[in-house]
Amino acid sequence: MLTSVEHLYSIVVALTDHLRPHSIRLAVASGEIEFGVDDQDVSQMDGEAFHRATELLKSIERTGLRFDLDTRTVPLDTAVADEINLLLHLRESWTDRQRDVIELYERTGNQQAVADDLDVSQQAVSNALRGASWPFAETIETRLRRTLEAYGR
């Protein structure tokens, strides 16, 4: 359960990265959640949010998408979900080497530091980042995170 979509993309990325190479589908829907007698037992939960999320999962399974969102904010939900799907598609195309370079670059912010850590040239790091469309993806991810921060306001 989320109380805000602010960290939604980070959660989606964490789950997909952790479960890689297996692919998953995720759906997020707002709505009421009913608790059973024991509110610690998730299997006792039910409600509109679960039913709407189930419908979203069925829909994305038919279309081949990985993610969908329904917070009753149409058409923004569709635009955000589509942006997340495109970013997930791009991330799925990255090689293990590109992932390693990007991860180190995100931590250090410095190509030479990444090169030193991986014992490669700075040009090899630059090529890996460019090959992964990293500057473009990073810009879109940053803009998406800002959108999600403002989403609930």
Side-chain angles (χ1 to χ4, degrees):
M1 284 190 293
L2 300 173
T3 57
S4 164
V5 294
E6 181 176 351
H7 300 289
L8 179 62
Y9 181 65
S10 297
I11 293 167
V12 169
V13 167
L15 287 170
T16 56
D17 284 356
H18 183 73
L19 295 171
R20 192 176 59 76
H22 305 287
S23 60
I24 60 172
R25 290 187 171 84
L26 300 163
V28 175
S30 63
E32 295 293 321
I33 296 176
E34 301 163 11
F35 295 90
V37 175
D38 179 9
D39 64 351
Q40 300 297 316
D41 185 358
V42 175
S43 69
Q44 297 296 314
M45 294 181 185
D46 193 16
E48 176 191 14
F50 288 107
H51 298 286
R52 289 175 55 212
T54 298
E55 290 304 313
L56 290 174
L57 285 170
K58 289 177 185 175
S59 173
I60 61 177
E61 186 173 11
R62 287 189 300 271
T63 61
L65 296 175
R66 297 272 179 244
F67 178 81
D68 208 353
L69 175 67
D70 182 1
T71 66
R72 296 187 178 121
T73 311
V74 178
L76 188 56
D77 286 343
T78 303
V80 167
D82 288 347
E83 190 170 350
I84 290 173
N85 277 298
L86 286 169
L87 285 166
L88 290 175
H89 182 74
L90 175 62
R91 293 174 70 88
E92 287 173 1
S93 74
W94 293 346
T95 65
D96 289 339
R97 180 59 158 199
Q98 287 170 328
R99 285 178 192 285
D100 292 343
V101 168
I102 290 166
E103 183 180 308
L104 286 169
Y105 184 71
E106 283 181 312
R107 275 193 257 142
T108 65
N110 182 294
Q111 289 187 18
Q112 189 58 54
V114 174
D116 293 344
D117 194 39
L118 296 176
D119 197 28
V120 298
S121 69
Q122 178 274 327
Q123 188 60 47
V125 171
S126 178
N127 290 343
L129 292 171
R130 195 173 336 100
S133 299
W134 178 243
F136 177 78
E138 180 182 36
T139 299
I140 300 300
E141 285 183 342
T142 299
R143 291 169 57 123
L144 173 60
R145 285 187 171 97
R146 283 191 206 129
T147 299
L148 292 171
E149 285 174 17
Y151 213 78
R153 292 186 207 154

